[in-house]
Amino acid sequence: MVALVDVEAALTLFAEGIAGHYYHIKPVSEFGQRQFSLEDDQTAMAVDTVYVPDELDYPDPAAYRVLVMLQLGQKEFGTYRFDFEEARGRIPALSKLPTPDVRLRASDFTAFFSRVPHPGLLKRLFLACEEARITYRLLGRYPGLARHLDRYRTYRFSGTVQVDDVWDLIDAIEAVAKGAPRDSVDDGTGLAADALDALEHLDTDRADVYDAAELALELYLGCLPLLPPPDAFPEQMAELAVAAEDDALEWMQREARMEDWEESLDQIDQTLFLELLEESEVDAASAESLENATLRDENVAIRALSDERDNLKRRLDMERSSVRDALGTVTPGTRSYRYDEWNYLERRYLRHWCRLFEERLESDGKSDPAELKRVIQQHAASVMHQLEQIKPLGYQRVKRVADGDELDFNALMDARQDVRAGISPDERVYSRKDRVHRDVCAAFLVDLSASTDDPIEPPEPPPPMPDGMDVNLRDPYDDDFSLDLASPEDRRRIIDVQRESMLVMSAALERLGDSYGIYGFSGYGRDCVEFYVAKEPNEPFTQRTLDAIASMKPRRSTRMGPAIRHAATKLVSSGNAMKILIILSDGFPQDSDYGPERGDHEYGLQDTARALTEAQSKGVEVFCVTVDKSGNDYLKRMCPPHRYLIIDEIEDLPEKLSAVYQTLSGR
């Protein structure tokens, strides 16, 4: 038995190396979309994610590589680029079939399968032929896969397939297409020989998805005379009569089809631009030649082209929304990681319990970086005054060394006393100047939970209602007592001060020369912990960094444990001698499933405390800063002694934060 959690990290790197870009590897148990579902033993692809079974009843972890390769092969060798119109041109038998009605925006695969009376049977045969084609292409492109594939097939297929009727024939075709040995088919009737021979026609590096579709249709037409009447086997015949339209194959084809629509939309835009450009060059004489306001042919063509563009754009927008709902939202550049969680109730770690998604913070176009720049002038002087207390780069005299430019008189006196006492003296009696470098890397982890949207100062209560005054709540323009329904003037929020603090610290640390990273975290549920990167330690402070800090905004919940573990991992991998992690929050850790009971915060506190202890054991100096005035109740149980600070006046956060940093890094 092999569990995915044991090989997921290596499997993710393997998939990235094969595909050339990142793919999330997830168990099918994490697939939670609404349009369709996945079986526990199923493997599927959904845009940027490959779903595989949580466990495999197989002794070799390489089986997961085989499953992932089969999914990546569908993407690499054009399974999802299937176009029905091209299929009709390439498959002669298809053009002779009737054209039934299919639902609007159905996939091209649905249009193909619906051409026959038994679309379920055609789909089964196509999937078998396509898997055989993909396997042949993979073995040709990646010969090293052969040994893993052979072992997996040997373990997966055992025994024989007895062919006595059409149902056995279909099973035999599927088994051989999936890798069962040809000699495992006991074809006593002679029905399977020609069909199995036909599968070998796909063993060429030029075979594409249309070759698999043509062979599937050929096999279908061969099976059709062998099918019994519908009333003879009602259940089996009912399955063959329906092809599921809502599955990963159909939706992935629709996702790939959108790329063609986007190209068509770009071409229309270019053509429309050229038409309008030519129209603008028409001279006045031509314009005056119009009679009775009749549109010229050019105007008619431009209007028709514009209507076509609008219709295609609406169609594309609707399709994009449907695909996103079925396959999930894709965030380019996002990577996922698994982390343990401490269950204090059972006194054990829940292995790979949380999934953390790391993504870049990008400008949302709504924040004003210029406003943040003005904040630097307000706080920079006091912050820099504190950080200037840290000893700068320079030379420091090192004493008690074996050679140097001066004698160390204290060491020399100690050595003389040792000689008089009959003890072998220490020969390190010199001193020298060595250049000292500040080898510091800091990470600032900012809480981006929804509560950071709260104003710094609570709103004033509404004025009391006059005695005997009746207010018509449905009439905001009541002359007697008008309610102010307008939104209140924007107040400074907790997130505003947090952003300003990060910007001030960035400006100060840039001058100090220390390496630092700025991150935010939020999320909802253990399978969706969000970790946002505004700046990595090895990156310079640029306009992009400023825009990223400005785009920090309140999001969802506060699952601190995985975020702390991920930040600590980054610090450890930096290789710096001193590693500092400062967590900036506005409350205690909480999430929808952070513990067995949603209202019980003890579980989150215990997991966060364990995460902080883990970080310290790795050599990371941790410190928690909160603006929650009641934070002492839980911080003293969550944080190490003297490693937390409660800010009474949130406007003092930049100065307090710099003082904390000076204390941690300047000793």
Side-chain angles (χ1 to χ4, degrees):
M1 183 72 71
V2 182
L4 177 61
V5 294
D6 296 327
V7 298
E8 182 178 321
L11 198 62
T12 301
L13 294 175
F14 171 78
E16 185 176 10
I18 293 295
H21 61 275
Y22 186 83
Y23 276 97
H24 302 281
I25 306 295
K26 296 183 181 180
V28 293
S29 59
E30 290 188 21
F31 185 82
Q33 304 304 322
R34 295 178 294 178
Q35 296 290 348
F36 64 98
S37 59
L38 297 177
E39 300 296 333
D40 292 342
D41 60 347
Q42 192 173 350
T43 305
M45 177 177 283
V47 189
D48 64 343
T49 303
V50 178
Y51 291 94
V52 293
D54 295 58
E55 294 181 338
L56 289 179
D57 186 13
Y58 184 74
D60 189 352
Y64 274 115
R65 295 187 184 182
V66 174
L67 297 180
V68 169
M69 286 293 291
L70 290 174
Q71 294 302 311
L72 296 179
Q74 291 182 345
K75 190 83 170 179
E76 181 176 355
F77 299 117
T79 299
Y80 307 123
R81 306 301 301 180
F82 180 84
D83 181 79
F84 179 71
E85 293 302 325
E86 184 172 351
R88 285 208 300 185
R90 291 186 51 179
I91 304 176
L94 184 59
S95 60
K96 301 176 182 179
L97 298 176
T99 305
D101 294 332
V102 294
R103 62 186 177 89
L104 184 65
R105 292 190 287 125
S107 75
D108 287 44
F109 282 128
T110 297
F112 172 58
F113 301 141
S114 301
R115 282 334 189 243
V116 299
H118 304 89
L121 173 58
L122 180 57
K123 185 171 185 176
R124 285 181 61 180
L125 294 172
F126 170 77
L127 293 177
C129 294
E130 183 64 1
E131 182 167 343
R133 181 186 77 89
I134 294 298
T135 302
Y136 289 136
R137 294 295 301 271
L138 286 172
L139 291 175
R141 180 72 60 84
Y142 308 102
L145 179 65
R147 57 191 180 93
H148 300 298
L149 186 62
D150 290 341
R151 287 202 300 266
Y152 179 66
R153 286 173 167 179
T154 302
Y155 186 85
R156 182 181 180 186
F157 299 103
S158 59
T160 60
V161 179
Q162 182 72 33
V163 179
D164 294 325
D165 52 29
V166 66
W167 314 113
D168 296 334
L169 173 61
I170 297 171
D171 291 340
I173 293 174
E174 289 181 324
V176 173
K178 293 177 183 297
R182 176 73 179 270
D183 56 11
S184 67
V185 178
D186 185 2
D187 185 16
T189 62
L191 296 174
D194 293 340
L196 299 183
D197 289 340
L199 287 176
E200 297 180 0
H201 296 164
L202 298 175
D203 187 7
T204 170
D205 56 2
R206 293 190 299 271
D208 58 17
V209 65
Y210 302 102
D211 295 317
E214 183 175 14
L215 178 56
L217 185 58
E218 178 184 334
L219 294 175
Y220 170 84
L221 296 176
C223 292
L224 197 57
L226 305 176
L227 292 176
D231 55 352
F233 298 91
E235 293 184 4
Q236 292 92 327
M237 294 300 292
E239 292 179 359
L240 299 184
V242 179
E245 297 183 14
D246 288 329
D247 61 10
L249 176 71
E250 307 278 346
W251 283 105
M252 284 295 292
Q253 192 279 324
R254 292 176 64 173
E255 191 268 341
R257 184 175 61 183
M258 287 194 303
E259 298 178 10
D260 298 332
W261 291 358
E262 289 171 349
E263 292 179 2
S264 300
L265 187 62
D266 291 339
Q267 293 176 358
I268 293 176
D269 284 336
Q270 294 176 9
T271 304
L272 189 60
F273 174 76
L274 294 176
E275 292 285 349
L276 292 173
L277 187 63
E278 293 178 0
E279 178 68 14
S280 65
E281 297 175 354
V282 175
D283 58 7
S286 299
E288 293 175 356
S289 66
L290 293 176
E291 298 179 359
N292 300 323
T294 302
L295 291 176
R296 297 195 311 276
D297 292 340
E298 291 84 352
N299 289 333
V300 174
I302 290 175
R303 179 166 295 180
L305 198 62
S306 179
D307 291 341
E308 181 183 356
R309 176 194 179 280
D310 293 341
N311 291 333
L312 181 57
K313 189 175 186 306
R314 283 193 294 269
R315 185 182 183 189
L316 183 60
D317 290 341
M318 289 188 294
E319 185 74 348
R320 186 179 290 111
S321 177
S322 299
V323 171
R324 186 185 302 115
D325 185 56
L327 300 179
T329 303
V330 179
T331 305
T334 300
R335 292 175 175 265
S336 62
Y337 304 85
R338 298 289 287 270
Y339 285 100
D340 299 347
E341 185 168 279
W342 174 250
N343 186 336
Y344 85 102
L345 297 172
E346 300 178 5
R347 308 301 300 172
R348 68 182 182 93
Y349 281 101
L350 302 178
R351 192 157 181 263
H352 290 188
W353 186 249
C354 299
R355 182 178 295 277
L356 179 144
F357 292 89
E358 177 184 308
E359 64 179 278
R360 279 281 183 179
L361 274 172
E362 302 293 346
S363 175
D364 55 6
K366 299 178 181 178
S367 303
D368 183 13
E371 182 66 26
L372 286 176
K373 290 180 180 178
R374 288 192 286 271
V375 176
I376 299 180
Q377 301 176 355
Q378 179 182 354
H379 297 279
S382 59
V383 170
M384 281 307 304
H385 177 71
Q386 289 177 331
L387 295 184
E388 284 173 355
Q389 307 302 316
I390 301 175
K391 184 174 294 185
L393 296 178
Y395 289 92
Q396 181 177 351
R397 182 161 293 278
V398 181
K399 299 180 179 181
R400 295 183 183 274
V401 294
D403 59 85
D405 54 1
E406 291 184 3
L407 287 171
D408 184 350
F409 288 102
N410 290 330
L412 191 61
M413 292 177 62
D414 291 341
R416 182 62 178 171
Q417 291 176 356
D418 290 340
V419 170
R420 288 186 174 183
I423 302 175
S424 178
D426 189 345
E427 297 181 356
R428 295 174 298 176
V429 294
Y430 294 93
S431 68
R432 67 168 180 263
K433 282 187 176 182
D434 285 346
R435 187 171 182 83
V436 179
H437 294 272
R438 282 180 51 78
D439 192 11
V440 180
C441 182
F444 296 91
L445 190 58
V446 183
D447 176 9
L448 300 180
S449 60
S451 57
T452 59
D453 195 37
D454 293 343
I456 297 173
E457 297 294 337
E460 297 180 359
M465 188 181 302
D467 295 336
M469 180 68 69
D470 293 330
V471 181
N472 183 3
L473 297 177
R474 297 188 179 185
D475 184 7
Y477 306 102
D478 193 324
D479 292 335
D480 295 329
F481 190 80
S482 178
L483 295 176
D484 184 12
L485 297 183
S487 59
E489 184 179 354
D490 292 340
R491 296 185 175 89
R492 280 173 57 76
R493 304 166 299 165
I494 295 174
I495 187 65
D496 297 327
V497 181
Q498 288 179 332
R499 286 196 300 246
E500 294 167 2
S501 301
M502 290 300 97
L503 186 60
V504 172
M505 288 299 300
S506 297
L509 293 178
E510 285 293 319
R511 293 181 60 183
L512 188 62
D514 283 359
S515 176
Y516 66 99
I518 298 177
Y519 311 102
F521 71 97
S522 185
Y524 189 78
R526 67 182 182 92
D527 292 330
C528 188
V529 182
E530 299 162 345
F531 191 91
Y532 300 97
V533 178
K535 180 187 178 301
E536 292 284 14
N538 59 348
E539 297 174 349
F541 188 93
T542 62
Q543 181 64 40
R544 195 209 67 81
T545 310
L546 178 62
D547 293 337
I549 294 175
S551 66
M552 285 184 168
K553 62 183 180 181
R555 297 179 184 269
R556 297 189 281 186
S557 298
T558 317
R559 204 181 195 103
M560 286 190 181
I564 292 173
R565 293 182 175 98
H566 191 60
T569 301
K570 284 179 170 291
L571 286 171
V572 171
S573 63
S574 70
N576 293 82
M578 175 172 284
K579 298 170 281 290
I580 299 173
L581 174 59
I582 299 178
I583 301 105
L584 182 58
S585 178
D586 73 326
F588 51 80
Q590 60 178 338
D591 199 357
S592 60
D593 56 355
Y594 216 0
E597 297 182 8
R598 183 164 186 170
D600 183 12
H601 305 303
E602 186 64 24
Y603 184 97
L605 292 177
Q606 293 291 338
D607 178 58
T608 303
R610 182 56 66 103
L612 292 172
T613 302
E614 295 168 12
Q616 280 195 307
S617 67
K618 298 176 182 178
V620 178
E621 301 288 341
V622 298
F623 201 96
C624 296
V625 179
T626 183
V627 297
D628 183 7
K629 296 181 181 180
S630 62
N632 188 64
D633 296 337
Y634 57 86
L635 285 175
K636 63 184 180 182
R637 295 188 295 115
M638 189 176 77
C639 303
H642 311 297
R643 286 305 177 96
Y644 65 90
L645 176 66
I646 302 172
I647 306 295
D648 293 326
E649 297 294 335
I650 192 170
E651 295 289 359
D652 297 335
L653 180 58
E655 287 79 5
K656 296 290 187 182
L657 200 58
S658 61
V660 168
Y661 185 81
Q662 189 264 343
T663 302
L664 292 176
S665 66
R667 38 185 195 162

